[in-house]
Amino acid sequence: MGAAMRNQDQQADRRLIKTVLLFVAGFLIVFAPGSAQAGPEKRGIDFSDYDVPLAQQVTNRIKAKILARLGEGKNTQDRYFIIPFAYENKGNDPEFSHSFISVIRVLADSKQPRLTSGLKVRREADRNFEAYTISWLPEDFLENPNLHVFEGFGARLFPNCNKCPMLPGKSFNLADTLKMAVGAKVAVGMWGPYEINKQGFDLGVRRLQLLEKKTIKY
């Protein structure tokens, strides 16, 4: 009986020592000097498109990425993609920060599609597609880009103290949104395209239609 208990204790001790050693080894790998240098080499900045307008650079990248995902074969079903964007200035000031998305539906080949109301069909590289952008800002933002949503003492804490008028909102298209970003000299980030399902595409369409009614104030 006693020998069996001692054997169990020794096995437990070995497991504990093994666990501690694995933890220490992991700690050294993660936090050892120079560990941050692991991974692929940093690539230099590509200035080959330096003189190409930003909107054209963005659309070229979207086209290339989506066409690569579709491949060379026949597209037998509708495919849906989302591209998130964000921009901000060097100080990360809220009035110079904005996030927006573009959503694309690539129509299946050789099928009579049920088109989305309010969207027009476009064509690129023998592919028909629909697209829209949700970029919600004050309606007059192109002419008056000095955005602020709080004004007056205590406005950030108490809604009744906010003297900033509510304005009709508008969902701008991708070209106009990028034009604002260039005018403000902010950094623009783009992710994706990421493939989504039809439900995600339809949800975005409903949100766009709601914003276009201008019943929601900014």
Side-chain angles (χ1 to χ4, degrees), residues 45-114:
I45 299 175
D46 183 2
F47 291 101
S48 59
D49 290 333
Y50 185 82
D51 294 324
V52 178
L54 178 60
Q56 189 62 50
Q57 291 185 47
V58 168
T59 54
N60 287 345
R61 182 175 177 82
I62 293 173
K63 291 175 187 176
K65 292 288 185 179
I66 290 182
L67 289 174
R69 290 289 297 272
L70 295 175
E72 297 293 336
K74 187 175 181 179
N75 188 33
T76 59
Q77 61 182 4
D78 290 356
R79 303 275 294 272
Y80 304 89
F81 300 89
I82 185 172
I83 304 98
F85 297 88
Y87 69 62
E88 63 184 10
N89 68 350
K90 189 174 181 180
N92 299 331
D93 299 306
E95 61 269 30
F96 289 97
S97 302
H98 182 46
S99 58
F100 49 105
I101 60 169
S102 287
V103 189
I104 296 172
R105 171 195 180 192
V106 182
L107 305 180
D109 299 329
S110 305
K111 282 188 178 181
Q112 185 62 38
R114 184 176 180 180

Side-chain angles (χ1 to χ4, degrees), residues 26-42:
F27 181 89
L28 291 175
I29 290 172
V30 174
F31 295 102
S35 61
Q37 302 300 322
E41 293 184 8
K42 292 183 178 179

Side-chain angles (χ1 to χ4, degrees), residues 16-31:
L16 178 60
I17 292 171
K18 183 178 180 181
T19 301
V20 171
L21 290 175
L22 288 173
F23 175 81
V24 172
F27 181 89
L28 291 175
I29 290 172
V30 174
F31 295 102

